[in-house]
Amino acid sequence: MTNEGDSVQVYVPYPLRGLTNGVGTVDLHANNLAQAIDELNRRFPGMAYRLLDDQGRLRRFVNAFVNEESVSHLAPSDVPLHAGDVITVLPSIAGG
Amino acid sequence: MMAKRGDTIVVVGTRKGLFLFHSRDRKKWSSQGPYFEGDQIRHAILSPEDGKTIFAGITSEHWGPVVARTRDFGGKWNVPHEGPRFSKESGISVTRIWQLQTSPDGGLYVGVEPAGLFRSADQGETWSSDDGLNYWPGRDKWEPGGGGLCLHTILPYPGDPKRMLIGISAAGIFATNDAGESWKMYDAGVRWYGKKDVYDREDLGTCVHKMVRDAEDPAILYQQNHTGMYRRARGDLRWKIIEKGLPVSKSTGGTFGFGMAAHPHDGGTAYAVPLVGDYNRVTPKGAMAVLRTTNGGARWEKLTKGLPQNNAWFTVLREGIRTDTNDPAGVYVGTTTGQLYHSRDDGDSWRLLADHLPQIQSVEAGVFGG
């Protein structure tokens, strides 16, 4: 559980910084990854659509890490966050 | 440089962004772009409603698909925060945009992968699902083609927003007469794969590649299918094979290809670019040819003047050939190797308009400002 004053940090990858006016890291309050994405979307409308598919899962080629651990395969609401956590969003190294 | 009213413009969607071309005389061309760098543009259109708005279906394999628009020839793009979505109950998610089409009542349709049809009443800001099609009772039996399970063709009926045909690879052709409330299949007459027999039922499902409407009578349709070339008019009980003068594939027994275009004014005139076959989807013998019929498919003629006749091994994809609205008509063909060819005399002769583009996935043309 994060407390008021605690925060997590989200790393926004380059292709999404058009939504954040170029900002690459965002500090916010959230108890889980779903809440973090909601908060990102509140500040930067459109962010949730870019990260989540129609079923609310992370898109197929979107990866998320909490600190060093991949959480891409989990439902965002099932990924707890704690004060000081660093969330890194990365596109899969894929394409042609 | 901004296009001026009356300029011919060509909108080219590629595997790596969108390119815009414009010309006063269709001899000297200016280009702009790429826009949406790195993203796939499977289809982009110039709205025939106002002749000004360009809609681009942007597919980011990472970050999802949206439909952007510009009203000043790429000066400023409006990119919505969201694209079309399937319902939570469906269990599926939109991954790619394949087709855009305006409708006579001012709406904008999008065809997506996995196969689905959505309509926007606000130029792509928000979308509503055509549930009659998207949750079609036989959907669980729809099989994808090589490019995926995609809804790639949307054909509204001029003057009647309730009527429409759509094509899905490889589920078949579907028709509605009630604005998408209900749909019926429309595949009778198409060949079985590799056989002389044709489907005698409408509902067996075929791999439609592209359909276009005749310029003078929109009830006449031309279809490039995986298994051949066909024509169907109102009242016909089935599609009829129209392949006199066309090459045929060894695997399917019919003409193979993807793209088709209708002449903008002349009834009975249509264009196609046949390929070797589904086992080798390139121009036959390394020589590029556009095939044209001027009599509703009774016979096709080969057009090669100005087109490469040696070492030309490429594919023309399903949105890769279009006409503009001029008289004589311009015809435009984009290749997977990045060449854009055009004719300004109904296809009689051709010139290279652009080279070294990324793989061309769609071509649309028209006159700016209507």
Side-chain angles (χ1 to χ4, degrees):
Chain A
M1 230 16 211
T2 52
N3 300 313
E4 190 172 354
D6 296 334
S7 70
V8 298
Q9 188 175 70
V10 182
Y11 171 81
V12 179
Y14 171 78
L16 294 182
R17 292 182 194 168
L19 294 174
T20 63
N21 298 317
V23 172
T25 55
V26 178
D27 293 317
L28 51 80
H29 301 274
N31 293 325
N32 60 51
L33 184 57
Q35 288 181 7
I37 293 171
D38 278 349
E39 177 60 16
L40 276 176
N41 196 59
R42 189 184 68 77
R43 296 190 200 178
F44 310 112
M47 186 66 82
Y49 181 78
R50 297 303 189 174
L51 299 178
L52 303 175
D53 68 15
D54 304 0
Q55 304 307 313
R57 302 171 297 223
L58 285 170
R59 290 189 179 278
R60 184 180 172 199
F61 295 121
V62 173
N63 299 303
F65 295 82
V66 175
N67 305 320
E68 309 293 312
E69 187 180 350
S70 171
V71 296
S72 308
H73 57 293
L74 299 174
S77 58
D78 292 342
V79 178
L81 298 176
H82 305 283
D85 282 347
V86 175
I87 303 161
T88 304
V89 176
L90 288 179
S92 290
I93 309 301
Chain B
M1 186 167 61
M2 175 72 176
K4 296 183 176 66
R5 186 180 179 85
D7 282 0
T8 297
I9 77 166
V10 187
V11 181
V12 180
T14 80
R15 192 174 167 83
K16 301 292 180 190
L18 178 78
F19 297 79
L20 303 177
F21 298 85
H22 66 103
S23 172
R24 203 70 193 159
D25 56 7
R26 295 187 291 172
K27 292 179 182 172
K28 186 178 178 186
W29 294 86
S30 300
S31 69
Q32 291 178 207
Y35 302 98
F36 315 112
E37 59 180 5
D39 287 339
Q40 296 196 38
I41 313 295
R42 280 190 162 72
H43 198 204
I45 60 172
L46 170 67
S47 169
E49 310 304 319
D50 64 8
K52 258 184 120 169
T53 307
I54 295 170
F55 294 101
I58 307 165
T59 292
S60 165
E61 297 288 344
H62 289 97
W63 313 112
V66 294
V67 177
R69 64 186 184 276
T70 177
R71 285 181 54 80
D72 60 0
F73 204 66
K76 182 185 175 209
W77 287 93
N78 186 304
V79 183
H81 292 147
E82 297 193 1
R85 291 175 186 257
F86 286 110
S87 68
K88 292 276 187 191
E89 296 73 31
S90 71
I92 55 177
S93 298
V94 176
T95 56
R96 292 171 175 155
I97 289 172
W98 280 82
Q99 172 87 164
L100 295 167
Q101 204 64 250
T102 57
S103 84
D105 61 356
L108 177 67
Y109 284 96
V110 64
V112 304
E113 177 186 347
L117 180 67
F118 296 83
R119 184 181 186 280
S120 175
D122 54 12
Q123 302 214 308
E125 289 291 326
T126 59
W127 297 92
S128 55
S129 164
D130 186 313
D131 289 349
L133 184 73
N134 294 348
Y135 306 115
W136 169 261
R139 183 185 180 99
D140 59 336
K141 295 183 178 60
W142 291 356
E143 293 289 340
L149 181 62
C150 54
L151 194 159
H152 55 65
T153 298
I154 302 170
L155 285 183
Y157 195 89
D160 186 351
K162 290 188 173 181
R163 296 173 60 185
M164 183 187 294
L165 283 164
I166 61 98
I168 298 174
S169 285
I173 300 163
F174 296 78
T176 182
N177 290 319
D178 55 14
E181 289 286 318
S182 63
W183 295 82
K184 288 184 177 175
M185 295 189 71
Y186 201 63
D187 290 292
V190 173
R191 278 191 189 88
W192 289 87
Y193 184 95
K195 296 181 179 178
K196 289 185 177 174
D197 303 331
V198 300
Y199 286 4
D200 57 3
R201 286 167 45 187
E202 299 281 20
D203 61 345
L204 291 175
T206 71
C207 190
V208 51
H209 283 183
K210 184 50 62 181
M211 293 181 293
V212 295
R213 292 191 187 277
D214 186 86
E216 289 183 2
D217 183 351
I220 297 173
L221 298 159
Y222 306 98
Q223 180 198 172
Q224 172 72 72
N225 189 286
H226 197 105
T227 67
M229 190 71 79
Y230 304 90
R231 177 186 192 274
R232 191 166 181 175
R234 182 186 290 128
D236 286 350
L237 295 177
R238 58 183 58 190
W239 291 90
K240 295 172 180 171
I241 295 168
I242 50 166
E243 294 176 341
K244 194 172 181 183
L246 290 176
V248 295
S249 156
K250 291 175 185 171
S251 59
T252 63
T255 301
F256 185 86
F258 286 102
M260 282 205 84
H263 193 280
H265 316 296
D266 296 346
T269 298
Y271 303 87
V273 182
L275 305 174
V276 172
D278 55 357
Y279 56 93
N280 187 19
R281 300 169 181 208
V282 299
T283 39
K285 300 178 181 174
M288 182 182 180
V290 175
L291 276 290
R292 175 178 65 189
T293 180
T294 56
N295 50 17
R299 180 156 193 90
W300 295 80
E301 60 181 319
K302 197 173 180 179
L303 310 172
T304 60
K305 187 178 178 184
L307 295 174
Q309 296 304 293
N310 293 295
N311 301 314
W313 305 97
F314 46 69
T315 306
V316 173
L317 296 174
R318 69 180 88 239
E319 305 300 338
I321 177 166
R322 284 295 189 277
T323 54
D324 63 24
T325 52
N326 291 297
D327 187 13
V331 192
Y332 304 82
V333 179
T335 73
T336 52
T337 45
Q339 292 82 36
L340 177 63
Y341 289 96
H342 80 115
S343 166
R344 54 193 186 96
D345 53 13
D346 294 321
D348 289 340
S349 64
W350 298 80
R351 293 175 66 184
L352 187 65
L353 196 162
D355 199 356
H356 307 301
L357 295 173
Q359 181 191 82
I360 295 176
Q361 301 196 318
S362 76
V363 179
E364 290 281 354
V367 175
F368 197 62

